[in-house]
Amino acid sequence: EAVLLDNHPVMHLIKLRDLPENIWNTDTLFVLATNEQNANRLAEFAEAWSADTVDIHSQDETQRELGSSGLEHQRLVTFWWD
C-alpha cells in the first residue's frame, strides 16, 4: 500500500548532516502491507535482501505507529540493516 526508506527514528537527523553531500543515509525500509497475509509474503524477502531484522507489527502496533485507528487490516513491516 505504501513504502518509505528512511532511518530508524533514533537516527532521524543524520540526513541533515549528509544532505549537503547529496547522501540520503538510511537503514530501515518501512512497508505498509494491505493485510497480514501480504505482510508475511513481504517478510520472506528479508533473507534475499540481506536484512538484519524484519518485523511484522501487530494491528495495535501498526495503528500506534501510524497514529490512526482506522487501519483495520493493514500491517506495518520493517526491514532493518546494520
Side-chain angles (χ1 to χ4, degrees), residues 25-41:
N25 190 337
T26 63
D27 63 10
T28 308
L29 177 65
F30 301 91
V31 181
L32 183 58
T34 55
N35 56 44
E36 188 171 359
Q37 180 181 10
N38 287 332
N40 287 315
R41 287 181 185 159

Side-chain angles (χ1 to χ4, degrees), residues 19-76:
L19 278 175
E21 297 176 29
N22 202 28
I23 296 171
W24 189 255
N25 190 337
T26 63
D27 63 10
T28 308
L29 177 65
F30 301 91
V31 181
L32 183 58
T34 55
N35 56 44
E36 188 171 359
Q37 180 181 10
N38 287 332
N40 287 315
R41 287 181 185 159
L42 286 165
E44 293 175 4
F45 286 102
E47 187 175 337
W49 293 347
S50 301
D52 292 303
T53 62
V54 61
D55 293 308
I56 300 173
H57 299 257
S58 70
Q59 180 179 0
D60 289 340
E61 291 170 331
T62 298
Q63 290 177 349
R64 186 173 49 253
E65 292 290 330
L66 298 177
S68 175
S69 61
L71 305 171
E72 295 185 19
H73 302 288
Q74 292 93 335
R75 293 291 183 273
L76 180 63

